[in-house]
Amino acid sequence: DGGITQSPKYLFRKEGQNVTLSCEQNLNHDAMYWYRQDPGQGLRLIYYSQIVNDFQKGDIAEGYSVSREKKESFPLTVTSAQKNPTAFYLCASSIDGKGDARGYTFGSGTRLTVV
Amino acid sequence: GDSVTQMEGPVTLSEEAFLTINCTYTATGYPSLFWYVQYPGEGLQLLLKATKADDKGSNKGFEATYRKETTSFHLEKGSVQVSDSAVYFCALSGGYQKVTFGTGTKLQVIP
């Protein structure tokens, strides 16, 4: 079955470290997204990509970076510049980036904790 | 800009009770509306959707009707089960790359 795979499920980061969260999809979707989820705040958009080799900042991009070298992969790097990275990170995809009424497919998330 | 407002949770119900989770929105144009469900430790799953006014989305006993006159998309279920315990998110899609999510409503169903 097609879907989105996020790894790892749990990740621990030391102060000053960069860490990379993996997101892979086999749905042949053009658009991919990264969201951050904090308790009581819903989902906030970090970055999104409509096509390979192109991506745009979302609402809270500071301290994060992404790449989109392959259609099926959209890794997120949480840099040391992100002051409060402890959160649940969700990757999603959609068929295209045109406000698709078919909705998003989400991965199962990565929980990042700073230790 | 676009926004989605959901009722505060948690909502606690006994098994077989009737469920309503309120959702209202603000958007320009004619957005598509969605309900997503998130089970503990998991990502979000699309539960149902509606793409135009008066459309009713339904799935797994849940229903929601797109009410343009009241800018609402309330989620309902006639008889909840313990397995429905989750967090429910209302969302709207207003165009290119612009899906706006509500803050989520936690539902707890007790036997």
Side-chain angles (χ1 to χ4, degrees), chain A residues 9 33 35 37 40-43 48 50 88 90 97-104 106-108, chain B residues 32 34 36 38 41-46 49 51 89 93 95-99 101-104:
Chain A
K9 191 167 181 66
Y33 313 83
Y35 285 90
Q37 186 177 22
Q41 294 194 44
L43 279 68
Y48 62 95
Q50 291 179 267
F88 191 51
L90 287 163
K98 299 177 183 178
D100 183 43
R102 283 163 283 191
Y104 287 179
F106 281 85
S108 57
Chain B
S32 296
F34 307 86
Y36 287 84
Q38 183 180 33
E42 297 294 326
L44 278 68
Q45 301 173 24
L46 180 63
K49 66 180 187 288
T51 58
F89 290 89
S93 175
Y96 279 83
Q97 304 301 345
K98 195 58 181 172
V99 174
F101 289 87
T103 54

